[in-house]
């Protein structure tokens, strides 16, 4: 029974660390991509976005679980590489 409790402590520590990484990457995604994409008023905004904290957390969780995985070539068709590079290296 003691080994089961020790293993539960280790798993809990790992889950806390995973949640911390999800929060960090959600905040990083909000900083880089939040509000940068303009959608038509007639079109519905996709659920996977970084415009608010809840959607950013869900988006990062979906990417870690590979539940709605978009291959990188499809990603770079949606987001040109120059947009990513400008966001990383160009300060306003």
């Amino acid at each position: 029974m003691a080994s089961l409790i020790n293993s539960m402590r280790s798993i809990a520590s790992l889950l806390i660390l995973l949640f911390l990484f999800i929060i960090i990457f959600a905040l990083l995604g909000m900083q880089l991509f939040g509000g940068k994409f303009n959608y038509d008023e007639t079109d519905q905004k996709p659920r996977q976005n970084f415009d608010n904290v809840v959607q950013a957390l869900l988006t990062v969780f979906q990417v870690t679980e590979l539940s709605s995985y978009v291959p990188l070539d499809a990603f770079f068709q949606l987001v040109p590489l120059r947009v990513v590079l400008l966001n990383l290296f160009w300060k306003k």
Side-chain angles (χ1 to χ4, degrees):
M1 189 69 173
S3 63
L4 181 64
I5 293 173
N6 286 338
S7 65
M8 292 295 279
R9 287 182 188 160
S10 298
I11 290 172
S13 298
L14 184 65
L15 289 177
I16 290 171
L17 185 65
L18 176 67
F19 187 66
L20 181 67
F21 275 108
I22 288 175
I23 290 174
I24 289 171
F25 281 107
L27 292 174
L28 181 66
M30 285 179 64
Q31 188 68 31
L32 291 175
F33 304 115
K36 302 274 191 211
F37 302 108
N38 297 322
Y39 299 103
D40 291 336
E41 297 295 326
T42 59
D43 291 341
Q44 188 176 8
K45 188 188 298 187
R47 292 180 61 192
Q48 293 83 9
N49 60 51
F50 289 98
D51 290 344
N52 60 31
V53 177
V54 175
Q55 288 304 119
L57 287 171
L58 288 174
T59 301
V60 172
F61 179 74
Q62 285 178 348
V63 169
T64 59
E65 293 298 315
L66 298 176
S67 61
S68 63
Y69 176 70
V70 177
L72 284 179
D73 58 344
F75 173 75
F76 283 117
Q77 287 176 358
L78 295 174
V79 181
L81 183 59
R82 62 183 169 82
V83 172
V84 174
L85 292 177
L86 283 176
N87 283 329
L88 288 176
F89 298 113
W90 185 49
K91 302 290 182 191
K92 293 181 182 177

